[in-house]
Structure formats: C-alpha cells, structure tokens
Amino acid sequence: MSRAASAAAAGLILCLTCEQLARYQPGPGPARRCPRCGQRMHVRKPDSVARTSAYLIAAAILYIPANLLPIMHTATLVGGEDDTILSGVIVLLKTGSWPLAALVFFASIMVPILKLLALTVLVLSIHLRWTSPPLGRLRLYRLVELIGRWSLLDIYVLTLLVALVQLRALATVEPRPGALAFAAVVVLTLFAARSFDPRLLWDVSSK
C-alpha cells in the first residue's frame, strides 16, 4: 500500500500559531517566519522529544512529594491539622461531600498520573520507533490535550474552600510544600504536552 507524501516532503510548512501554510526551502540561512503572523516556523518542533522527556521526568519526580507532603494547614480554635491531597479527599467523604471529594480526587490524583502515563507512551513510541499505524496514539495525544483542561480544577476548588473558611471565620488555612510541588507537576505536564510534536508519530511510522 502506498503512503501519502507528507507536507514537509512536498516543501510545505505549517505555522502552529495561526495555521498558515507556506512554502519551505530547506537549507542554511535565517529562520523561516510566517508570512501572516511573523512567528518562527519549523518543520518539526525543535528538540521535541528531548524537551518532553525532561518535563516528564521532572513531573514524575515531583508527583511523589505532591501526594505525600501536606498541601495545607488548617488552624482552628481547638488545634491545627495538616492535610495531604488524599487525606483531604477522605475528610470530604466523611463529611458527606462526596461529589466534591470525587472532583478533587479526579483532578488532583487521576488527571496528573494519566497525563504522565499517556505522554510516556507517546515518547517511548518515538524512541522505540514503533511502526504500527499512529492513529491510536494520535487519539491518545488528543485525549491528553482534553484532560489537560481539568488540571487546575482542584486548585479552583481549594481556593473556593479557603475563601469560604476565611469568610466564616471558622479557621485559618495556610499552604504547605505539597501545594507547591503539585502546582509544579501541573505546569510541567502542561509544558510536556505543549512541547510534544504529534507529527513525529507519522514520521516514525512511515520509515
């Protein structure tokens, strides 16, 4: 079965900012710029796999303290308590707030680990040069982009809870190192998804 020629092989290049399609002439010289928006244009994102791998490794390392270290300290008239993400979910379950507990569990624990696993599979498929049809992996990448929109949802929920607590003068809430580690995981996974070039999937499968 014949394979369709790629745009790069046909001398075409796509601007990832405004999606303008332009002619591309390989060779030395200044970087090609988009005739519409002026942004730099690349046949493939520079060092895509290396950057994505670096972000993934850093995010995987920080995922451990993000879940083991407390994310906030709650001080009341009767004492204080440190809570991790999981202990916070358990407290919400015990108080009957199971929809909020499910929301925090999904956004804080499931979304980051799913993104880490999915992006790892995509990067490994490039490193190992999988020649199977890339449609399934492309759908996986689209799924990563989709669930990435939920990455900051639990931060919004936590902010709302803190505001409610402060307004009712029931307690004071202070952030702890786990919150910083978790925020770093969210940002690093976003960078990893952003730096990955899905066109590489087609390049590998066509060779």
Side-chain angles (χ1 to χ4, degrees):
M1 182 177 64
S2 61
R3 297 182 182 272
S6 65
L12 299 174
I13 186 172
L14 180 69
C15 175
L16 298 180
T17 302
C18 68
E19 298 187 348
Q20 170 71 29
L21 192 64
R23 288 288 179 182
Y24 173 73
Q25 296 296 333
R32 172 69 172 170
R33 290 191 176 273
C34 176
R36 176 188 290 172
C37 66
Q39 292 292 324
R40 289 189 176 184
M41 301 174 68
H42 303 279
V43 177
R44 297 292 182 264
K45 293 180 181 179
D47 303 319
S48 173
V49 175
R51 291 184 180 184
T52 304
S53 301
Y55 289 137
L56 280 177
I57 293 173
I61 293 174
L62 289 173
Y63 184 78
I64 299 174
N67 284 274
L68 296 181
L69 296 178
I71 61 170
M72 65 180 181
H73 174 79
T74 306
T76 62
L77 296 177
V78 296
E81 183 179 3
D82 289 331
D83 286 303
T84 62
I85 296 176
L86 189 57
S87 68
V89 171
I90 295 175
V91 170
L92 290 173
L93 287 174
K94 290 181 178 179
T95 57
S97 303
W98 62 267
L100 189 57
L103 183 63
V104 174
F105 178 80
F106 174 76
S108 303
I109 297 178
M110 294 303 300
V111 167
I113 197 169
L114 287 175
K115 289 184 68 177
L116 287 173
L117 291 175
L119 287 170
T120 299
V121 170
L122 294 175
V123 170
L124 285 178
S125 70
I126 303 298
H127 278 299
L128 301 178
R129 310 189 70 81
W130 292 357
T131 57
S132 58
L135 287 176
R137 281 167 281 151
L138 184 60
R139 294 191 184 99
L140 182 62
Y141 176 74
R142 299 304 180 196
L143 180 61
V144 169
E145 288 188 319
L146 177 63
I147 65 176
R149 302 172 187 175
W150 299 84
S151 297
L152 298 176
L153 185 60
D154 61 306
I155 296 180
Y156 300 146
V157 173
L158 180 60
T159 303
L160 177 61
L161 291 176
V162 170
L164 290 175
V165 169
Q166 300 286 10
L167 287 174
R168 295 178 181 177
L170 297 176
T172 58
V173 178
E174 298 177 354
R176 284 294 185 260
L180 181 60
F182 178 77
V185 171
V186 172
V187 172
L188 287 169
T189 53
L190 288 175
F191 283 169
R194 183 69 176 175
S195 62
F196 183 79
D197 194 336
R199 295 172 295 184
L200 295 174
L201 301 172
W202 298 95
D203 292 343
V204 172
S205 64
S206 62
K207 293 180 180 180

